[in-house]
Amino acid sequence: MRRLFWMLIGLSILWIVPQTVFAQSRTVAVLTPFLAQPGTHLVVEGFEAAAKSKGWQVDVIDTSGDVAALVSRMEDVALQKVDAMVINVDPSQIRNGLLAAKDAEIPVFGMDSGADPLLTANVTSNGYVMAAETATYVVDQLNGKGSVVMFIFEPYPPVQKRGAIAESIFNNEPDIKIMEKITPSFDRGPLEGARNAMEAVLTANPEKGSIQAVRAAWDCLLYTSPRPRDLS
C-alpha cells in the first residue's frame, strides 16, 4: 500500500502538466537531493515509468543530500532548455535554481515539496491527515499509555507538518509521554543517520519496555527503527 501511495504521487504529476507537452517527445529533468529515501525513489520510479510510456526522455539528477549542488544543477539544466523540471526538495532552499528556470521559461513542478509562487504546481500527500491517522494508530495500539520516541525533520515543510500534528495528538493523551524528538543527521545519508540516532536512543534506554513506540515522520525510518521485539 505504501509503495502504491508514493507511486500515485509521481503519476499525478503527469495530470497537471499542460496538454501541449503530451503532443510530442519532451525532455523532463527530475532533480532531488533525496533519491536515497525509499519514498522519493518510489515517486521518481512511478513518474519515470509513466513519462517514458508517453515517449518522454526523463533525466534523473540526484545530488546525494547536497541542496546547494542541486541549485547548481538546476541552473545547468535551465541552460539546456529542457521542457520541464520536477523537484523533490523544499523550494525555499533552491530559490536561485527556481529563478533560473523562470528566466528560461521552464515550468517547475513540485513532487511532495512545499508550495511556492515559482512552482507551476506541487503534487503532495496530505501531511495533516497522514499524521493524524498514524499518531492515532499509535495511541490506540498503546491503549493510551506509554513512552514514544518521535523522529522529526522540521527543515522540510511536508515532514514538519506531520511532526506537529502527531505531537499535538500525543500531548492530548495524559498517559502518553514523548521521550525524545529526534532530528537525525543526514551527513552520511538518511538511512545511516536514522540508524545511528535510533541506536543512540536504545543505548540510552537499555531496559526492555522503556520505549513502547517509535513514531517516524517519513518512511525512511521504517527501514532502520527497531522491531517490536527490541522494545518490549
Side-chain angles (χ1 to χ4, degrees):
M1 181 63 70
R2 186 172 69 251
R3 180 183 178 88
L4 176 61
F5 171 78
W6 287 114
M7 292 190 74
L8 285 174
I9 291 181
L11 293 171
S12 297
I13 295 175
L14 298 178
W15 293 99
I16 62 174
V17 177
Q19 291 300 309
T20 53
V21 176
F22 289 93
Q24 54 187 295
S25 177
R26 298 288 186 175
T27 299
V28 180
V30 179
L31 303 104
T32 177
F34 305 127
L35 195 60
Q37 297 272 11
T40 299
H41 183 80
L42 289 174
V43 174
V44 173
E45 184 181 70
F47 179 82
E48 278 189 288
K52 288 180 179 179
S53 73
K54 299 180 182 300
W56 299 358
Q57 176 180 331
V58 179
D59 297 329
V60 179
I61 298 171
D62 173 43
T63 58
S64 302
D66 191 334
V67 176
L70 190 75
V71 173
S72 178
R73 295 305 305 274
M74 288 184 70
E75 293 170 341
D76 293 341
V77 169
L79 293 175
Q80 296 168 14
K81 298 294 184 181
V82 298
D83 296 288
M85 296 186 200
V86 176
I87 63 164
N88 173 244
V89 66
D90 179 0
S92 69
Q93 296 181 307
I94 57 167
R95 183 168 180 79
N96 287 343
L98 292 173
L99 289 172
K102 179 182 178 181
D103 291 342
E105 299 183 344
I106 299 172
V108 182
F109 300 88
M111 181 169 63
D112 204 31
S113 299
D116 191 280
L118 292 173
L119 292 181
T120 301
N122 176 46
V123 178
T124 189
S125 53
N126 188 326
Y128 298 108
V129 173
M130 183 190 303
E133 291 182 350
T134 55
T136 300
Y137 176 82
V138 171
V139 171
D140 291 344
Q141 291 297 303
L142 297 179
N143 294 317
K145 184 177 182 179
S147 298
V148 178
V149 172
M150 294 183 64
F151 277 81
I152 62 174
F153 194 72
E154 294 189 343
Y156 192 45
V159 178
Q160 183 275 331
K161 294 174 183 177
R162 300 171 206 163
I165 295 300
E167 183 176 1
S168 67
I169 289 174
F170 292 148
N171 286 337
N172 194 51
E173 298 291 330
D175 294 323
I176 293 289
K177 176 186 176 183
I178 299 176
M179 292 186 63
E180 192 169 355
K181 294 190 295 182
I182 300 171
T183 300
S185 170
F186 283 6
D187 291 347
R188 296 185 179 180
L191 289 173
E192 185 68 19
R195 182 180 298 109
N196 290 341
M198 192 65 246
E199 288 177 351
V201 171
L202 292 175
T203 299
N205 300 274
E207 300 83 6
K208 292 288 186 179
S210 58
I211 303 172
Q212 278 72 52
V214 177
R215 196 273 172 181
W218 70 103
D219 60 352
C220 174
L221 301 175
L222 297 177
Y223 296 84
T224 60
S225 295
R227 298 296 181 258
R229 65 175 179 271
D230 299 318
L231 299 177
S232 61

